[in-house]
Structure formats: structure tokens, C-alpha cells
Amino acid sequence: MDFRLDEREKSKGFAAYLKSLEDRLSALESSNPLTHASIESGSLDVYDDDGNLRASLGMQGDGTAALVPHNSQPPPTPTPPSVEPALSGLVVTWDGDWADSDITPSDYATIQIHVSGAGAEFLPDLSTLVATISAPLGGSATVAVDGYAAVWVRLVATNTAAMTGPPSTATQSAARQAVGQDLIDSIIDETKLAEDAVTAAKIALGAVGSTALAEGAVLEDKLAKAAVTLDKIGAGAVTLNALGGAVSDLAAQRYVDAMGDPNAWSVLAKAATARWEHLDGVLDARTGRTVGQATGHTAIRGAVQVPYDPDVLYRVSARVRTTTPSTTGTDTLYVGVIGIAADGVTLVNRVGAATHNLQHYCAASNVPLPAGSGWVTYVGYVRGRAAPGASGTGGVAADPRAPGVLHDQVRFISPTLWLNFGSGSTSGSGVMQVDAVTVEALKTGVVDGTNLVIGSVAAGHLAADSVVAGKIAADAIGARELQANSVTAAELTAGSVTAEKILAGSVTTDKLTVAGGLNLLPDPSFEGPNAALLVAGNAFWSQVSGGNGSAYSLRVDCTAATATSRNLRLTTVPILAGEQLYLAVDYMVSPDWAGRDVRYFARWYDGSGVHLSTTSVTQVPTTIGAWGPRSSGTLTAPAGTVQAQLWVEANMGTAGAVQFDNAVARPLVAGVQIADGAITAPKIVALSITAEKLAALAVTAEKIAALAITTAKLDALAVTADKLAVNSVTATKIAAGAIEATHIKAGAITAEKIDADALNGKVITGAVVQTAATGDRVVVTNDGGTGVIAFWNSANKLSAQFASGTDSAGMQALVITGPDPNGAFWNGRPKVTLGADGIKGQITLAAEKVVVASSSVLPFSTPVMEVQGYLDAANISAGRVRITPSAPNTPTSVTVTGLKLPLGATVIYAYACAVTTVPGTQVLGVGTTDPTSRSVTIWLTRTNTNVTSVDYYVIATG
């Protein structure tokens, strides 16, 4: 800089010269020091406030000059793309916005477009990158896509440092095919095609589908022989309704589903978290190795629709087990059929409604199936239709002789099951498995000799009860055809054996015990896999070789440090209250066995799965080391029973072992199986029926023929009072004056021996009359000459008493006495005397007291009631709330809930009052709105925001 003065400056004043120097110096200080700077063969580094290298400007290590970023931050997440289908591709658009940032970073480079068919959460990489968008304000790109399946698109941002940010949320779409909308409709019509222009070679494989064929276009003569093979028929394509002739009849006669085809079943209803699935490879499945499994509350139906013939008996069955119990409720199930109308679509339940609910549950109806019961088979029968307008059968019909009926509008049936029903419709726990479901038509046509090959029907081919009396020719079966003991009472229908069919002396007393029905146990001699499943995983029970006339038996190890009972459940059977089971089992105890007894018992359950009681057949072993006498007995189901579990047990053992074999569980056939009059006196061998052969009361008056018993047949004094049935000796049979007081046995005449009205008009003195011997009862006595009526409660405590007495004037009065807190009378007991002069005494109710009168007599003309304590009315609710105003002079409300007034109340009043000593100064007003039996809204307005207590009363009046 040249500071020498020129000629002009010399002529200026010194002050002007100094001002010029000041301005030039100021300009020099404010100029950019790099205005005339340069980088010579090097680079300039850029650092942030924390000293981190962020960029390098100038010559780089590879000999190029550039701005190179360092330690950059990843870019933000782009917003999800907008994707539109295009012909064989997609149009992907980014709107330029960010999901987690408000601005576009300055080092923005591109938006990468990634496409994948692997799902919405696929990870973008080089293999999924198909295009980029470079515009920072957004843009679109068209990308090609292989195929027409749905794919997912995600966007990834990059910066100038080649760093990528998080991928965006995926958007799903699919490429558009070249369909009619890509060409002008009808541009190529039939007239544009030369004759024979479309030949077989011009038609692509699979181009002609079913929609290209006119209905009926493929005729039978167009099909080559054997053109339709098994692999050309889709699974489930041929249903029962598509079959005809003998094939249809055969399929409809017995439909069996081993749960191997998921398409054969559909879900009708289920809990939100429940699921239905088909499992393969289940080794212990009884039919095949497939099962259907319901986890949680699930209702299903079969896809098959069996044509329903009302003249045919149908047997419906399902084999089910519970593998995991429900966490709530009871594991129960329904098994039956679902009705379908003639259109093959509309459902018909037992009341005629078009719903899957309230169907025909002939095999099981809310039956408990606890875990550990193993496979249980439920069987039911249906036949016929209800009368028009009447309901079909909803409950179990397990007897083929009394099948359930379906609604009048049912024309097809499908199997249906409700699994884990008792656990509740919201339960997703509990696991039930279904092994096999059958619907069988048991047709009862006529089979004559021309249908049977000689010798084709042997005894082993006849089902139980298949040959009835009407099918046997007269005299066809003689003594030679019957083996000893081959015909038991269970095989005889009521009235089939009459007196003329029984050889004199052939029926002896030991032939009169009647037990019928099939053995309910699936493996009574414990030979097969069922017994192996019973003991699987049990440390004490095992299936061992060597039984009582059989190859195997069950063995239980009784070794224990203390007396221990070990039992095993054999099966679960349906049974109703009052029905009987005949139980019998062979047993053997080892020589070193030590225990109390062996038992075969039944546990009875009601319809909710609640255990009612247990009864058993108990045997104390008398034979050691060998099969002892067979243990047997009859058990009766108590009231409320719908199911029984059958168990064997070694009771209270400490050493040795017990073996069980040849178990029997049969339903007893009632005595009506022997027709009245079928066994007459000529058919009974003399002295074959002795007194010890007759059960108590087995011979009743109606079983004795008139004049069959004469005085010559009676020993002296053989007929005593306890041998006479009620009302068997009437007045006409007793000679006048024959019975004197000395001939009546003490206690022989009881209440049930006295006819009704026999004591009318009679006076009974010196007796105590009571409605029961103990518990809740009324007792009438003449205690010390004073008549007393006393009331006793179920705890045998005296509750109240009415007695005769006198008032203060000595006149006759009624004395009412109540109980003390301990149920007995004490000196200060509450007592009220109702006399001619008024009321005297008091009545005490619990801790509170209503005083009728004190020691003086209260005349009837001035009744007074004094309440000590408080009265509690169910129609009144009161309380106090604290309200903080939201602002001065502003109404503020609080809603009070839980009032517990009667739910049916329709007229309700509510009142409120502020707790204040200066009303009207700061508290401007209190009110109520919307009173109900359960809530009321309280309002407060005051000049400030002080917390205020408000008392309220809510009264239901109607």
C-alpha cells in the first residue's frame, strides 16, 4: 500500500487526509482474508464445534479434487411410497416427505426403491434395489416386476457420504396383467380371424380354462376313455350328493371321517384366541394317525351332507379326548348332527331356526370330559321327524330303541361337535382332540334266503339282539341247539319266555339273578393297547403277563412307607340317576401283600362335572398268592348323575402287589324283563325256592296267586307284624273283636299304618306333635298345663315360641317369646304379652331394638314405637362427597356411583346440601341431576375454588 501524498492530497487539509486514512483502514479490516487465497496441492479440512472432522476440500488421496464428507449422520426415514399397478410393473411415487424429520438434509443424494416378495418386513439390500429417485422434492419411477404375485415396496434414503437411513414402511401391490382393458374392447372379433386361423398349435398350454367353455360344451363322447383319472379329481370334489346308484347308497350307509382332510370340516364359532387344526403323525390315534384338535372354545361341522331318510335309523358317533384341561370352566362337549333344509344350504335346528345353535345333540350334550379320561366314544341315534310345528330332540339319545327325532324341515344331516364348551365362549385354553366321526344308516330291509349263500351266516356274524323271536320258526330251536348256560336273561325280551316254554323244574333260584347289557369296558381282560395306554407313564401300575384265564392282567405295586391307596381309572360311561351297574372283577394279592382291601368303585358326576359321591364294591382278601373269589356287586347312580368313572384300587397298602383281571361293568336289566305270570307254580321244582333265596320284599302280594298260600302252608306264628305289607290286612279280613289291645305288638302301629282322616274328631292327650324329629320344625306341646307352639331352626336352636299366659289383670293372654343371640331362652329374653289390657314387654332385633313397651302396660289405643340405633331402608342411599370447583362462579359436578337402589325403580328423587356454616355467602348453589338406581350427579357453584363437602340423599319411590 502506497502512503505517499499525491498533488491533490497535498492540497487538502490535514483533517481530510486523516479521515481518508481512517476509511481506508476500516475497509481493509472488514474484507475477507481468503478473497485472494488459494489451496496449492493440498486440502482444507472442516471441523465442527466439538473438533470432529466433518469434510475435506481439495486434493484427495486418489489424486482427484473434491469435497469429501466425513463422520456424516444417516439420512432420515422416507414416508411410505405410493404404489400403483402398471402393465407388468409398478409405478412407485415418493412425496418428498420424511417420517421422522421435518426438513430434507443438505447432504441428500437419492431415494432407493426396493421390491421383494418375502413379506412386509424384508430387509433391503443390493438384491432388492430396482430404481432410485434423485429429486429432493419427491418423484416417481416405473419398475418392472416378474410375475403378477403381490410384492412389497420400501424406500431407503442415501446421502452424499453414501450412507443409508432406515427403510420406510412397506406398501403392497401387484403388477397388472394385459387384460381386456389394455386393448380396445372387441378390436379383434370373429370376422378378423381367417378360417382355421386358431389351431391347436396357436393355443397356449392352459389358455383354455373352465370359464372359456360353455355350459354343457364338454360332452361324454368328447372324453377319451379313461381321460378322467383319480389325480384329475380334486380333493373333496366328489361329495355324497354327487354320487348315484349303488355307490351313493354305500357311502350314505356308513360315513367315516378319520380327521385327515382339513377341507372336510369348517368352524361354526370359536373364542377369539381359539383355533382348530388337523394334526398328522399322532401315534396313539385309534383310527389312522390323524386327529382334529380344538384349542379353546370351538364349534365345528362336517362338510359332508348325508341325505336324511326318516324311515332309517342313523347312528352318530365321535371318539374324543381331552389332552390339556381348560384354565377356566369345565371341559365339556356336544356331539350330534346339524340339520339342513331341502335347498342343501339353509340350516335347520331342533326348533326350526336357521342357525347352528340348538342342534340335535344325540350323542353327547354338555358332557364332561376331564383330562386323563383317554379316548371316549360317544354314540347316539336319530330316526324320523317331529310333527309339523314341534321341536326335534335336543338331548342325548343313546338307546337305538328310543332314537331322537329331527325337525320336520330337515332333509340332510352333517356331523357337528362343540369342543371345550364348558370353559366359556371366550376361553382360548383347553385342548380336545377328535379321532374319528361316523354317521351310519342302519337300514332294516328284508333279507331272504336268496340273498344268502348257504353257510355264510354263522353265529359269529350275528350282532347281539339281531335274531328276535319273530324271526325264528316254531320249534326251530330245541334243547339240542342250546348249549348249557348259552341263553341268559339279558338275551330274552320281556314276555318272550312264557310258562309253557319252561320245562318243569328248569328254572331254579340261582337262575333268577338278572344282569343285562354289554360289558361297558373296552378291554375287560386288559389284553390290548387300551390297557397299555391306561398304565402309560404310571410308576405303580403296569400291564403284566399272566391273568386269570387270560394272557395279561393289571398289576399295582403297593410298596409304600405309609399306608397308601393306589387306584386306576378304567373308563367313563354315561348313566342316569337311579340306573344300576353290575360290577365284578377277579383279583389276586401277592404272598407279601399288606393292606386293607381291594376295591372296584364308581365316582358319580352331574352334568356340570361336579363330583356327587363315590360307591364301591369292596373285598377283603382271604386267599393269598392265588386268584381269590370274584368280587362283585351292584351300584345305583345317585340323584343328578349323568356320568360315572369306573376305578380299581388297592386300598391302604404298604407292601406286595395286587393283580386285577376280567373286569365287568354291565347295566342292570330291571325286573320287568320277566313277564308277569311267566313263572307259574307248576314250573317251580318243589323246595327249589327257599326262604334264604328270596331277597327282602322280593315276594309281594301281586306275585302270589289267589289261594296259593293257605293256612296249611304257614307255620304257627310264621306271619308276624313285620311280614305284613302296608294295607295288606283290611278290616274285612279281621273278625269283629278279634284284635284286642293285648294282641297288638308294641310299636306295630306307626303313623304310616293309620289311614288318612282316621283321627278326625279325636282328642289326643299327653302327646307331642312335631313336623320333624330334628332340624327346622314346629313342635306343639302341653308343657305343665300350658299350651306351647315352638319353632326350631336347622341348627336345633329355639327361634320363637307362642304360649298361653295372663296379663297384668290376671286375664288370659298370649305370650310371644323370641330367641336370645345364642338360640336359648335367658332371663332377659325379649317377650311380648298380648292381653286384654294392652301390650307389655319388648321385641329385640339383633343389636338394634324396637321397644313396644317397657315395664308398664301400653294400651292398644296408643301404639308407640321407639327406634334405638338406626333404620336402614333399601330404597334410600345417602353419603357425602367433596367437590373442588373448577373456577369461581362456575358449576362443577361429581358423579356418585354404586348407590345399590332397587334395579326396578323408575321414580327416583335426589337431594343435596352443602356442609357450610355461612350458606349463601360463598356457596351460591347445590343441585342434582340424572338420578338412577346406581348413580347421581351432584353440582356445586361457589364464589371461589375452595373444597366443599356436600351431603346427598337418593330415594327410590316407585
Side-chain angles (χ1 to χ4, degrees), residues 326-513:
S326 300
T327 57
T328 59
T330 305
D331 301 303
T332 63
L333 76 160
Y334 287 80
V335 177
V337 294
I338 194 167
I340 305 163
D343 61 4
V345 177
T346 305
L347 302 183
V348 180
N349 69 1
R350 61 177 179 263
V351 297
T355 174
H356 62 269
N357 294 307
L358 299 177
Q359 285 293 337
H360 311 82
Y361 308 115
C362 58
S365 180
N366 203 19
V367 176
L369 181 58
S373 302
W375 289 111
V376 179
T377 301
Y378 299 92
V379 180
Y381 297 86
V382 293
R383 180 175 59 195
R385 300 190 182 100
S391 298
T393 305
V396 173
D399 188 346
R401 296 168 295 180
V405 296
L406 306 190
H407 191 270
D408 179 58
Q409 298 302 313
V410 173
R411 295 299 182 269
F412 301 92
I413 56 176
S414 297
T416 184
L417 295 91
W418 288 72
L419 306 170
N420 300 305
F421 178 82
S423 62
S425 60
T426 60
S427 175
S429 65
V431 179
M432 283 189 178
Q433 292 182 342
V434 184
D435 172 55
V437 177
T438 68
V439 179
E440 303 170 85
L442 308 179
K443 295 191 175 181
T444 55
V446 177
V447 179
D448 55 25
T450 61
N451 302 110
L452 301 175
V453 178
I454 296 176
S456 62
V457 179
H461 298 121
L462 295 177
D465 301 328
S466 60
V467 179
V468 296
K471 305 303 181 183
I472 303 174
D475 301 324
I477 300 179
R480 180 181 61 83
E481 282 73 31
L482 296 177
Q483 296 180 351
N485 301 321
S486 62
V487 179
T488 63
E491 275 74 46
L492 300 176
T493 59
S496 62
V497 179
T498 58
E500 61 270 13
K501 302 298 184 183
I502 302 175
L503 181 66
S506 63
V507 179
T508 57
T509 54
D510 58 344
K511 305 300 184 186
L512 293 179
T513 299

Side-chain angles (χ1 to χ4, degrees), residues 232-321:
K232 296 296 190 289
I233 302 176
V238 180
T239 63
L240 284 179
N241 294 334
L243 299 176
V247 177
S248 175
D249 185 66
L250 176 63
Q253 292 244 3
R254 190 170 194 269
Y255 165 75
V256 180
D257 192 314
M259 312 308 291
D261 182 8
N263 296 321
W265 291 87
S266 60
V267 176
L268 296 172
K270 67 181 184 69
T273 57
R275 66 179 184 274
W276 168 254
E277 55 192 328
H278 288 256
L279 307 181
D280 195 3
V282 181
L283 300 182
D284 59 344
R286 303 290 294 276
T287 304
R289 292 192 174 184
T290 53
V291 298
Q293 178 170 289
T295 303
H297 182 98
T298 307
I300 60 172
R301 65 159 289 187
V304 64
Q305 295 189 178
V306 178
Y308 183 69
D309 185 345
D311 296 327
V312 171
L313 177 66
Y314 291 85
R315 177 168 56 200
V316 181
S317 71
R319 185 179 297 113
V320 191
R321 70 177 175 185

Side-chain angles (χ1 to χ4, degrees), residues 683-721:
K683 305 305 180 185
I684 303 175
V685 177
L687 302 179
S688 63
I689 300 180
T690 57
E692 62 272 11
K693 302 298 185 183
L694 297 177
L697 303 178
V699 179
T700 57
E702 63 271 13
K703 302 303 182 185
I704 303 174
L707 304 178
I709 301 179
T710 60
T711 55
K713 303 299 184 182
L714 299 177
D715 290 337
L717 303 178
V719 180
T720 59

Side-chain angles (χ1 to χ4, degrees), residues 628-646:
R630 187 168 176 80
S631 178
S632 63
T634 299
L635 308 181
T636 302
T641 299
V642 300
Q643 190 180 70
Q645 294 181 0
L646 304 182

